Amino acid sequence: MTILATGCAGFIGSNFVHTWLEQTDEPIVNVDKLTYAGNLSNLKTVMNDARHTFVHADLANREVMDELLKVHRPRAIINFAAESHVDRSIHSPIEFLQTNILGTFHLLEAARDYRSTLQTEEASAFRFLHVSTDEVYGSLSPSEPGFDELHRYEPNSPYSASKASSDHLVRAWHHTYGLPTLTTNCSNNYGPFHFPEKLIPLVIHNALSLKPLPIYGDGQQIRDWLYVKDHCEAIMTVLSKGTPGEVYNIGGNQEKTNLEVVKTICAKLDALRPKTNGGSYAEQITFVKDRAGHDRRYAIDASKIKSTLGWTPKEDFASGIEKTIAWYLDHPEWVESVVSGAYKDWVQTQYSERTGS
Ligand code: NAD
Ligand code: DAU
């Protein structure tokens, strides 16, 4: 048995590969286009693991995807690949439409064709798991309950609109063509290998580099934070126990304002890596112009995945942020190579012979 996953050189996907290989011997084929967010050094420790095959390709490339499905005959496809950063989607939406909407369409079609070649038993066991976001549901007021799976779709950014479109395609491919799909909508992740354009890794990096810590608007926006390994285990649970056609919301039940998150990181760094001038990293906090269309609050009601599949997160924000900060302090070379762009050279020199294989 084998699974094929897209976008596993990125943040969540690479954590998924590590979690998968820690918990199972089943091979995983990892198809990634290596955009700016794809970093093969996230997978350094598994590049020589026979259970992990890396393929450098765009998920929208039907020729390559058809061939990979034919050769590897996976029992499931997990679609992590996406353009994922809201701020980038505001500046340049086109790539979001191309990968998140059209890319998902091409992958669904490749999966449908491939499944039609399987024997009845294999075809009914086949799964297409689409990894999506809570942002498709829009923004909550302070007193509203968290998003459940029936919450109406109200995406507000080009990113969330593109993910919402992809979710609708997945739903339609199930209803119209009978593809056994699973969709997961998750809250904000954090942990190792998180690209330092996103709030938590950016703040850790800027704090240690003695740079400003930019807070958009008043910093009172709320996110529901989930440690990335918990997300990976939730996906594994949905893959093995989820019912085709169903949607599962995944969250950490850890709502924090952005200002609270940044102040927590500063306090931890003050203790672990005190500034030589005796001051606090919190003095670097700088309020900057707000993000256009900034959603005020996200929160997930994760009761369905808990009651039907038995998944709950292992980490709360206090334990998860501790692990995350420890990882960044232990891996300064990883952050430096991303910030300097050297990770791209490293990929070229170390792994060019593997691409397209
Ligand atoms: P990321 O930006 O870190 O990684 C995305 C990966 O996809 C990169 O390796 C990139 O090279 C690859 N990719 C992009 N376009 C591709 C294409 N056309 N073909 C093949 N590969 C391509 O993103 P992430 O934070 O790891 O998010 C992974 C998935 O999880 C996304 O679908 C995202 O919408 C979803 N999600 C993320 C979060 C979060 O907090 N980061 C929360 C909920 C859901
Ligand atoms: O909710 C799930 C989503 O979480 C995922 O679908 C996205 O792929 C992922 O990027 C993330 O989106 P956010 O926009 O919530 O994450 P980001 O880290 O960009 O921002 C978190 C919050 O912090 C948000 O309210 C904006 C704010 N922010 C962000 C940055 C980068 C700042 O105040 N300053 C910053 O410099």
Side-chain angles (χ1 to χ4, degrees):
M1 299 218 289
T2 296
I3 65 163
L4 183 146
T6 66
C8 288
F11 164 48
I12 301 174
S14 60
N15 277 284
F16 182 82
V17 170
H18 293 297
T19 307
W20 181 262
L21 296 177
E22 276 157 28
Q23 301 193 10
T24 157
D25 276 334
E26 186 174 353
I28 178 165
V29 179
N30 167 6
V31 184
D32 197 295
K33 185 181 172 185
L34 296 180
T35 66
Y36 80 94
N39 183 347
L40 279 184
S41 74
N42 299 356
L43 298 162
K44 214 182 215 169
T45 56
V46 295
M47 284 312 261
N48 291 322
D49 188 319
R51 297 169 300 166
H52 170 244
T53 304
F54 176 74
V55 182
H56 183 197
D58 188 325
L59 85 165
N61 186 330
R62 272 302 298 276
E63 213 179 311
V64 171
M65 294 310 296
D66 288 347
E67 184 65 15
L68 287 173
L69 292 170
K70 200 168 129 193
V71 169
H72 293 282
R73 301 183 60 77
R75 69 173 175 96
I77 295 175
I78 306 181
N79 185 28
F80 289 97
E83 289 293 337
S84 70
H85 191 35
V86 175
D87 292 320
R88 286 181 189 257
S89 82
I90 295 168
H91 291 289
S92 177
I94 183 78
E95 291 89 351
F96 289 73
L97 275 58
Q98 267 156 358
T99 286
N100 300 1
I101 305 177
L102 275 176
T104 302
F105 158 73
H106 287 299
L107 191 63
L108 284 163
E109 282 292 81
R112 187 161 76 91
D113 277 1
Y114 163 65
R115 184 168 171 266
S116 71
T117 68
L118 300 178
Q119 301 294 325
T120 317
E121 211 174 300
E122 283 178 314
S124 66
F126 181 79
R127 296 288 181 269
F128 183 104
L129 193 158
H130 179 61
V131 179
S132 192
T133 170
D134 59 0
E135 301 203 10
V136 298
Y137 300 121
S139 186
L140 290 167
S141 71
S143 57
E144 272 178 288
F147 302 121
D148 66 13
E149 290 78 2
L150 298 176
H151 196 282
R152 67 180 275 190
Y153 270 44
E154 291 177 328
N156 291 319
S157 71
Y159 163 69
S160 54
S162 69
K163 291 295 291 187
S165 299
S166 67
D167 294 5
H168 292 323
L169 293 176
V170 171
R171 178 188 163 87
W173 260 243
H174 173 71
H175 280 267
T176 303
Y177 304 114
L179 191 69
T181 60
L182 298 157
T183 299
T184 56
N185 292 85
C186 188
S187 62
N188 284 63
N189 285 215
Y190 64 104
F193 306 122
H194 203 180
F195 200 87
E197 64 184 352
K198 308 278 169 74
L199 180 70
I200 288 181
L202 179 112
V203 163
I204 298 172
H205 171 67
N206 280 16
L208 295 170
S209 316
L210 305 179
K211 290 184 187 156
L213 310 180
I215 306 265
Y216 297 165
D218 62 3
Q220 294 307 311
Q221 302 82 8
I222 292 174
R223 298 291 182 264
D224 175 358
W225 293 96
L226 180 69
Y227 190 63
V228 64
K229 201 173 174 74
D230 278 326
H231 185 192
C232 296
E233 289 181 355
I235 290 169
M236 288 177 69
T237 304
V238 172
L239 182 64
S240 66
K241 298 198 226 162
T243 302
E246 290 289 316
V247 174
Y248 297 91
N249 284 0
I250 305 170
N253 198 21
Q254 298 292 302
E255 289 184 55
K256 307 277 170 220
T257 66
N258 293 339
L259 201 52
E260 273 178 276
V261 167
V262 173
K263 285 185 172 170
T264 302
I265 295 170
C266 290
K268 295 263 173 227
L269 289 177
D270 286 342
L272 293 167
R273 198 55 66 85
K275 282 171 90 163
T276 47
N277 69 3
S280 168
Y281 290 103
E283 289 156 15
Q284 292 163 227
I285 289 175
T286 311
F287 289 89
V288 300
K289 189 168 176 268
D290 209 350
R291 173 185 278 173
H294 200 170
D295 285 336
R296 199 69 183 163
R297 174 176 168 241
Y298 304 139
I300 284 278
D301 172 352
S303 49
K304 177 176 172 181
I305 188 171
K306 182 180 176 186
S307 64
T308 60
L309 308 185
W311 176 87
T312 49
K314 292 183 178 134
E315 307 292 344
D316 60 13
F317 189 70
S319 63
I321 199 70
E322 193 130 347
K323 287 187 176 177
T324 303
I325 291 173
W327 188 88
Y328 282 92
L329 290 176
D330 286 347
H331 296 84
E333 75 298 338
W334 183 88
V335 182
E336 276 317 315
S337 74
V338 173
V339 172
S340 70
Y343 72 110
K344 287 285 174 197
D345 305 339
W346 184 83
V347 167
Q348 193 58 33
T349 39
Q350 297 294 318
Y351 292 109
S352 53
E353 79 276 9
R354 293 172 190 272
T355 58
S357 61

